Amino acid sequence: MNFGNWNVTPAIKIAILFTWGSLSLGSELPSPGLISVVPKPAKMERLGGTFNMTRSTVLLVDPGDAAAKQVGRHLAEQVSRATGFALPVLERSQAARRTTSITLTTTGCDLSLGGEGYQVDVLPGRIQVCAPDPKGLFYASQTLRQLLPELIESPLKITGNADWSIPCMKIRDAPRFSWRGLMLDVSRTFMSKNLVKRYIDLMGFYKLNRLHWHLTDDQGWRIEIRKYPELTRVGSKYAEKFNEMGGYYTQAEIREVVAYAADRKVLVIPEIELPGHSLAALASYPNLSCTGGPVSIHPFLQGVNIHEEVFCAGNEKVYEFLQDVLTEVVELFPSPFIHIGEDEVPKSRWKACPKCQARIKSEGLKDESALQGYLVGRMNRFLQNKGRRLIGWDDILDGTVTSDVAVMYWTREGGLVPIVRAGHDVVLSPTDPLYFDYTYEVNSTRRVYAFEPVPEDLSPAEVSHILGAQANFWSHLVRNEDGTDRQIFPRLLALAEVLWSPASLRSWEEFTVRLEEQKKRLDLMGVRWMRELQDSSRSR
Ligand code: ACM
Ligand code: ZN
């Protein structure tokens, strides 16, 4: 391969060789490859010609539209590294004529596109983007990024005759589901703020919009709570030899990540696990357990994932503590949903605890499951008073809870249908196929791509309770960044398409062609994706 007068370093040459290894080069520079947008837009129609982005291209927004300006600046920054262009974002009235332009507007757009939809017209001299909401402008900008040649993702500047063209076309696009998520477990293995931001970038690129941040568990408490400093002083550190794996986010860092995500149209949903999976909290404040402790943080050993020690549901001090914690959480996270765990709660401590038994009696509760329902009810009312909604793992239904409680479905016997029929909003994250800690032999990319969130026998009203789905990455088995990348990619792209694109457009064969193109982009972005064995692509 001849790099001509491209000003590239050996590292990027390797990347380019790898990236374009399969394209035949008629002239010095390769022509743009196949169009590969993931998730596939709802409607895309090719027109003749191309739009060429050059250093004199301008981004145009309506006067005073700060949100569109932010999207424009973001796109300008995303294309600046590879191109070296500093594309200005100008208000429409300031535009000089005869430059090529990309216009981002929210005025006069087709409202039926909804809060995340957009239209794009790529014409030879200009690109016109219209979306009723800035979220749609952002998604349009990520589509444009994917329509540019893949070298746009180069971390190093490409000079010479690089061709930054986009084929002319019309796109009309909107998502199928409103909850398109990824869960990151930062308790079992702490992830740095910058790593979380990197996954947020990748989520935005593939139009995913919900980051479920699993901040607390038996292996670590990862969020600073001002009123309870022991939670991070004690609770953020693994016991024994895992000590070096500790870590937590300060409230300033949390705010920084939440704002970073918002710029990429990702909403961050915090999870504070209770009453189970709470050894880190109880090691910090043992008086909140039924026994009074001592409690130690448990290094995650395969097969030992559920621990007896839980918050005492008969102790009023526990309710005070949980409400104080949630008060700070609500201040940090604008998310309408606050996740409070509720999975895998052993009842042995409650059975033996005089306080818990007294509470069961005084509240007229049937048993320990009803006690969990009582606790959920109190947390629900507390969050409602703060203008938020409670969401919990599907085990939350072990106790009686009101139908306004949202449910994250992962493994419940009886499946999804009875949950939506009982009127709960549901987010799907079934272990099969959306647990991304599982191997690709179990949950292959193909299997993820075949996942259909809506069961056949639901009425439209029942279907409306299915908010969407998310992949869950539990971090107990894979504890380094390379491995985490591979667990998440490329199968996250399959999920992105399931959740965004119309079901009628889904074709595994056609997707695999686009996926191969996307892998070249992932390479340039430094994402280490899993090379699946042929066998793991089988449809089980
Ligand atoms: C879970 O996997 N325990 C929600
Ligand atoms: Zn108790």
mmCIF file of all heavy atoms in Angstrom, residues 273 277 305 343-344 393 395 410 431 435 472 474, ligand 1:
data_model
loop_
_atom_site.group_PDB
_atom_site.id
_atom_site.type_symbol
_atom_site.label_atom_id
_atom_site.label_comp_id
_atom_site.label_asym_id
_atom_site.label_seq_id
_atom_site.Cartn_x
_atom_site.Cartn_y
_atom_site.Cartn_z
ATOM 1 N N GLU A 273 -27.498 -0.086 45.650
ATOM 2 C CA GLU A 273 -28.055 -1.413 45.978
ATOM 3 C C GLU A 273 -28.553 -1.474 47.415
ATOM 4 O O GLU A 273 -27.805 -1.162 48.346
ATOM 5 C CB GLU A 273 -26.975 -2.483 45.793
ATOM 6 C CG GLU A 273 -26.900 -3.065 44.396
ATOM 7 C CD GLU A 273 -27.801 -4.288 44.193
ATOM 8 O OE1 GLU A 273 -28.799 -4.460 44.945
ATOM 9 O OE2 GLU A 273 -27.502 -5.064 43.272
ATOM 10 N N HIS A 277 -26.776 -7.019 48.675
ATOM 11 C CA HIS A 277 -25.582 -6.579 47.936
ATOM 12 C C HIS A 277 -25.031 -5.290 48.542
ATOM 13 O O HIS A 277 -24.682 -4.346 47.825
ATOM 14 C CB HIS A 277 -25.898 -6.375 46.454
ATOM 15 C CG HIS A 277 -26.037 -7.674 45.706
ATOM 16 N ND1 HIS A 277 -24.964 -8.500 45.451
ATOM 17 C CD2 HIS A 277 -27.122 -8.290 45.164
ATOM 18 C CE1 HIS A 277 -25.383 -9.577 44.782
ATOM 19 N NE2 HIS A 277 -26.686 -9.481 44.597
ATOM 20 N N ASN A 305 -21.837 -15.138 45.564
ATOM 21 C CA ASN A 305 -22.258 -13.827 45.083
ATOM 22 C C ASN A 305 -23.355 -13.239 45.942
ATOM 23 O O ASN A 305 -23.656 -12.064 45.848
ATOM 24 C CB ASN A 305 -22.729 -13.947 43.624
ATOM 25 C CG ASN A 305 -23.212 -12.636 43.065
ATOM 26 O OD1 ASN A 305 -22.749 -11.580 43.473
ATOM 27 N ND2 ASN A 305 -24.162 -12.682 42.156
ATOM 28 N N ASP A 343 -32.269 -6.881 44.173
ATOM 29 C CA ASP A 343 -32.075 -8.272 43.746
ATOM 30 C C ASP A 343 -31.419 -9.090 44.847
ATOM 31 O O ASP A 343 -30.704 -8.563 45.691
ATOM 32 C CB ASP A 343 -31.220 -8.333 42.467
ATOM 33 C CG ASP A 343 -29.853 -7.699 42.660
ATOM 34 O OD1 ASP A 343 -29.784 -6.651 43.326
ATOM 35 O OD2 ASP A 343 -28.859 -8.254 42.149
ATOM 36 N N GLU A 344 -31.699 -10.388 44.805
ATOM 37 C CA GLU A 344 -30.973 -11.381 45.588
ATOM 38 C C GLU A 344 -30.832 -10.982 47.062
ATOM 39 O O GLU A 344 -29.735 -10.751 47.556
ATOM 40 C CB GLU A 344 -29.597 -11.613 44.952
ATOM 41 C CG GLU A 344 -29.732 -12.094 43.510
ATOM 42 C CD GLU A 344 -28.412 -12.255 42.786
ATOM 43 O OE1 GLU A 344 -27.510 -11.397 42.929
ATOM 44 O OE2 GLU A 344 -28.281 -13.237 42.041
ATOM 45 N N TRP A 393 -34.446 -4.187 40.271
ATOM 46 C CA TRP A 393 -34.364 -5.493 39.605
ATOM 47 C C TRP A 393 -35.667 -6.246 39.832
ATOM 48 O O TRP A 393 -36.380 -5.982 40.814
ATOM 49 C CB TRP A 393 -33.179 -6.292 40.146
ATOM 50 C CG TRP A 393 -31.849 -5.646 39.903
ATOM 51 C CD1 TRP A 393 -31.057 -5.067 40.844
ATOM 52 C CD2 TRP A 393 -31.161 -5.510 38.649
ATOM 53 N NE1 TRP A 393 -29.906 -4.581 40.257
ATOM 54 C CE2 TRP A 393 -29.942 -4.841 38.912
ATOM 55 C CE3 TRP A 393 -31.444 -5.885 37.335
ATOM 56 C CZ2 TRP A 393 -29.017 -4.534 37.909
ATOM 57 C CZ3 TRP A 393 -30.522 -5.582 36.344
ATOM 58 C CH2 TRP A 393 -29.333 -4.921 36.627
ATOM 59 N N ASP A 395 -36.582 -8.885 41.111
ATOM 60 C CA ASP A 395 -36.824 -9.508 42.422
ATOM 61 C C ASP A 395 -37.658 -8.592 43.324
ATOM 62 O O ASP A 395 -38.192 -9.042 44.354
ATOM 63 C CB ASP A 395 -35.510 -9.817 43.169
ATOM 64 C CG ASP A 395 -34.373 -10.283 42.278
ATOM 65 O OD1 ASP A 395 -34.237 -9.736 41.159
ATOM 66 O OD2 ASP A 395 -33.603 -11.153 42.707
ATOM 67 N N TRP A 410 -34.527 -9.258 34.539
ATOM 68 C CA TRP A 410 -33.282 -9.962 34.194
ATOM 69 C C TRP A 410 -33.454 -11.469 34.129
ATOM 70 O O TRP A 410 -32.898 -12.114 33.268
ATOM 71 C CB TRP A 410 -32.120 -9.540 35.103
ATOM 72 C CG TRP A 410 -32.202 -9.895 36.563
ATOM 73 C CD1 TRP A 410 -33.024 -9.339 37.492
ATOM 74 C CD2 TRP A 410 -31.414 -10.865 37.268
ATOM 75 N NE1 TRP A 410 -32.809 -9.892 38.733
ATOM 76 C CE2 TRP A 410 -31.819 -10.828 38.629
ATOM 77 C CE3 TRP A 410 -30.392 -11.738 36.893
ATOM 78 C CZ2 TRP A 410 -31.249 -11.647 39.607
ATOM 79 C CZ3 TRP A 410 -29.815 -12.559 37.867
ATOM 80 C CH2 TRP A 410 -30.247 -12.499 39.203
ATOM 81 N N THR A 431 -30.665 -12.160 31.136
ATOM 82 C CA THR A 431 -29.322 -12.775 31.105
ATOM 83 C C THR A 431 -29.037 -13.336 29.714
ATOM 84 O O THR A 431 -27.916 -13.258 29.235
ATOM 85 C CB THR A 431 -29.244 -13.918 32.136
ATOM 86 O OG1 THR A 431 -30.319 -14.829 31.892
ATOM 87 C CG2 THR A 431 -29.357 -13.381 33.556
ATOM 88 N N TYR A 435 -26.582 -10.267 29.116
ATOM 89 C CA TYR A 435 -25.512 -10.183 30.113
ATOM 90 C C TYR A 435 -24.172 -10.259 29.381
ATOM 91 O O TYR A 435 -23.807 -11.294 28.818
ATOM 92 C CB TYR A 435 -25.666 -11.294 31.175
ATOM 93 C CG TYR A 435 -26.478 -10.832 32.377
ATOM 94 C CD1 TYR A 435 -27.578 -9.993 32.190
ATOM 95 C CD2 TYR A 435 -26.137 -11.192 33.674
ATOM 96 C CE1 TYR A 435 -28.326 -9.541 33.278
ATOM 97 C CE2 TYR A 435 -26.880 -10.741 34.767
ATOM 98 C CZ TYR A 435 -27.975 -9.919 34.557
ATOM 99 O OH TYR A 435 -28.710 -9.463 35.622
ATOM 100 N N ASN A 472 -25.968 -5.599 30.317
ATOM 101 C CA ASN A 472 -25.362 -5.462 31.640
ATOM 102 C C ASN A 472 -23.947 -6.003 31.616
ATOM 103 O O ASN A 472 -23.730 -7.168 31.288
ATOM 104 C CB ASN A 472 -26.175 -6.251 32.675
ATOM 105 C CG ASN A 472 -27.531 -5.605 32.945
ATOM 106 O OD1 ASN A 472 -27.728 -4.422 32.652
ATOM 107 N ND2 ASN A 472 -28.453 -6.365 33.478
ATOM 108 N N TRP A 474 -21.287 -6.899 34.124
ATOM 109 C CA TRP A 474 -20.848 -7.141 35.501
ATOM 110 C C TRP A 474 -19.347 -7.378 35.451
ATOM 111 O O TRP A 474 -18.853 -8.117 34.592
ATOM 112 C CB TRP A 474 -21.568 -8.362 36.082
ATOM 113 C CG TRP A 474 -23.057 -8.196 36.119
ATOM 114 C CD1 TRP A 474 -23.959 -8.742 35.257
ATOM 115 C CD2 TRP A 474 -23.820 -7.416 37.055
ATOM 116 N NE1 TRP A 474 -25.241 -8.358 35.607
ATOM 117 C CE2 TRP A 474 -25.177 -7.548 36.704
ATOM 118 C CE3 TRP A 474 -23.488 -6.616 38.162
ATOM 119 C CZ2 TRP A 474 -26.195 -6.922 37.413
ATOM 120 C CZ3 TRP A 474 -24.507 -5.993 38.863
ATOM 121 C CH2 TRP A 474 -25.844 -6.143 38.491
HETATM 122 C C1 ACM B 1 -28.416 -9.419 38.939
HETATM 123 O O1 ACM B 1 -27.810 -9.940 37.987
HETATM 124 N N1 ACM B 1 -28.215 -9.861 40.177
HETATM 125 C C2 ACM B 1 -29.355 -8.344 38.740
#
